[in-house]
């Protein structure tokens, strides 16, 4: 008898869980509460569920931008970019569209800086090898390449290189 009562209660509670998880407002409010508590991983799960199950819900754009920010803050720029593009294509009239475009610009800047840093690292490694071999003409050419890289801290890095400090 007690076992039957226990199973009945478990069944009733499981029905309540299903009804709660199928309520978009509950998912939205739960995610917001978790975000305020800085429980971003748990909020992320709720937000993903909201987007998956209720993509036309009135606060789905909020969920989409928060998912993108979660990826961005965790330096997962590829997924952040994907989520931001989903926001712009699925919710073009969203009040979060401008914010999404700002994040896309930040991601683009991060990729450009990364590419420049890789190129700078390559030039510095070449310069270091040429300095070791005393190939002064080619060393000067590598230094010229470094000087032509845009928007970098070339002077600071080059001065450190001359002092023998490796910034990479």
């Amino acid at each position: 008898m007690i076992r039957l009562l226990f199973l009945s209660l478990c069944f009733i509670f499981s029905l309540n869980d299903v009804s709660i998880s199928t309520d978009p407002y509950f998912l939205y409010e739960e995610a917001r509460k978790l975000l305020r508590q800085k429980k971003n991983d748990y909020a992320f799960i709720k937000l993903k569920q909201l987007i998956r199950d209720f993509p036309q819900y009135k606060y789905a754009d909020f969920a989409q931008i928060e998912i993108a920010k979660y990826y961005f803050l965790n330096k997962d720029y590829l997924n952040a970019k994907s989520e931001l593009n989903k926001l712009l294509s699925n919710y073009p009239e969203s009040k979060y569209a401008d914010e999404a475009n700002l994040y896309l610009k930040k991601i683009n800047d991060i990729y450009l800086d990364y590419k420049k840093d890789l190129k700078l690292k390559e030039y510095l490694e070449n310069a270091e090898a040429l300095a070791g071999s005393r190939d002064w003409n080619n060393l000067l050419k590598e230094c010229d390449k470094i000087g032509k890289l845009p928007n970098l801290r070339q002077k600071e890095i080059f001065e450190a290189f001359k002092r023998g400090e490796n910034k990479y």
Side-chain angles (χ1 to χ4, degrees), residues 18-33:
V18 170
S19 66
I20 287 172
S21 66
T22 58
D23 178 10
Y25 182 75
F26 173 80
L27 289 171
Y28 167 73
E29 282 300 321
E30 187 67 18
R32 288 188 61 215
K33 181 176 98 176

Side-chain angles (χ1 to χ4, degrees), residues 36-86:
R36 282 191 302 273
Q37 295 171 347
K38 306 288 186 217
K39 295 180 179 177
N40 296 342
D41 295 332
Y42 297 110
F44 175 79
I45 293 166
K46 298 289 183 190
L47 294 165
K48 287 293 270 188
Q49 186 179 358
L50 179 65
I51 289 292
R52 183 192 67 219
D53 296 345
F54 308 100
Q56 299 308 314
Y57 183 59
K58 65 181 177 180
Y59 297 119
D61 60 340
F62 167 81
Q64 195 75 60
I65 192 75
E66 289 300 325
I67 290 167
K69 289 194 295 194
Y70 175 85
Y71 283 127
F72 184 88
L73 293 173
N74 286 288
K75 299 185 186 325
D76 185 348
Y77 303 120
L78 191 60
N79 278 321
K81 184 176 181 178
S82 173
E83 296 296 331
L84 291 164
N85 284 325
K86 284 180 195 175

Side-chain angles (χ1 to χ4, degrees), residues 7 9 20 28-29 33 53 57 59 64 66 69 87 96 102 104 112 131 135 138 143 146 153 156 163 166 168:
L7 289 174
L9 288 173
I20 287 172
Y28 167 73
E29 282 300 321
K33 181 176 98 176
D53 296 345
Y57 183 59
Y59 297 119
Q64 195 75 60
E66 289 300 325
K69 289 194 295 194
L87 176 108
Y96 301 106
L102 286 173
L104 285 170
L112 289 175
D135 185 352
N138 285 326
C143 291
I146 292 169
R153 309 173 322 269
E156 172 194 335
R163 289 189 307 270
N166 193 347
Y168 289 92

